[in-house]
Amino acid sequence: IPRKQTERANFSDLQSQCKPLSLEDRKRVLAIAHPENFPLTRYRKGPRSERGLENETDCSHFVHEVYQRAGLPYNFRTTSELGKAEEFERLPEEAARPGDLMLFRGHVGIVDENGKIISALRTRKRKRKSSIASIDRRFFRTFRGQRYVLRYRCSNIEGEPSAEGRSTASEKRVE
């Protein structure tokens, strides 16, 4: 069986165990992604995993690791591959809710409660100590192409810890 068909079959089997993102899931994602949790994170395309998210990351690794820490697993994909991920539902930009991913041509970030995008950004002039920031969506107007939302479809895959079993010690509180 070709790999693509096997992945589809496996995801179809898991869909019966999935539920939409809850308010608690969204709050957990935003608490983990809060820029203050990453005061010294440098931007590095294709970061070395042994250095850890707190040291270096790029946008696709950042959102992947935040979702993993929030107990919302998906297989890592680059930004260009993320739009085709079966774990996410593709929606128009207007449908964005806190905790969703916003995908631009060549960039991805997490929508916060104010509609801004939390992401790892390359900083040319090191005015900020960290590359993790919450940026107004207007900044991304220079990114050509369509923008859209990716909403996580599967927040409770068998074998993964439930929301009650996850610890979030270093998270900022989202009110």
Side-chain angles (χ1 to χ4, degrees):
I1 300 174
R3 183 177 173 206
K4 232 2 170 193
Q5 287 178 346
T6 305
E7 287 176 7
R8 272 200 194 113
N10 290 341
F11 185 74
S12 296
D13 294 340
L14 293 173
Q15 281 183 317
S16 62
Q17 302 162 20
C18 296
K19 63 182 176 71
L21 278 177
S22 68
L23 180 59
E24 291 77 28
D25 291 330
R26 293 175 184 285
K27 285 182 177 182
R28 196 171 38 260
V29 166
L30 294 179
I32 293 167
H34 198 285
E36 289 180 18
N37 291 334
F38 307 97
L40 301 174
T41 301
R42 292 184 348 224
Y43 182 90
R44 180 182 172 126
K45 188 168 179 93
R48 295 185 297 248
S49 60
E50 69 273 4
R51 299 276 328 247
L53 183 59
E54 285 72 12
N55 293 303
E56 63 185 27
T57 192
D58 61 20
C59 61
S60 56
H61 284 88
F62 175 72
V63 298
H64 179 258
E65 182 63 22
V66 166
Y67 267 59
Q68 290 289 106
R69 291 180 184 188
L72 306 170
Y74 67 90
N75 292 328
F76 174 79
R77 290 175 181 81
T78 63
T79 303
S80 59
E81 299 167 330
L82 201 51
K84 299 173 188 139
E86 292 180 331
E87 296 93 339
F88 293 92
E89 179 181 6
R90 189 172 168 169
L91 302 167
E93 181 182 3
E94 303 78 45
R97 293 178 57 199
D100 288 340
L101 300 184
M102 180 72 72
L103 191 62
F104 306 86
R105 182 175 176 217
H107 194 73
V108 65
I110 299 169
V111 179
D112 75 7
E113 63 274 352
N114 299 315
K116 292 183 175 184
I117 308 299
I118 303 171
S119 188
L121 299 166
R122 185 175 294 140
T123 54
R124 289 192 177 108
K125 296 179 183 172
R126 300 292 294 171
K127 293 179 183 177
R128 295 188 316 261
K129 289 183 180 180
S130 177
S131 67
I132 307 298
S134 182
I135 306 292
D136 193 294
R137 280 192 219 178
R138 290 179 295 207
F139 170 83
F140 297 100
R141 286 185 184 156
T142 60
F143 286 63
R144 294 194 170 149
Q146 186 179 8
R147 317 177 215 199
Y148 50 91
V149 169
L150 296 177
R151 182 162 297 149
Y152 192 73
R153 293 187 211 198
C154 202
S155 64
N156 194 9
I157 296 174
E158 188 175 355
E160 292 297 323
S162 65
E164 297 79 35
R166 293 186 283 262
S167 65
T168 53
S170 66
E171 301 165 8
K172 293 280 177 193
R173 200 154 193 65
V174 177
E175 303 286 326

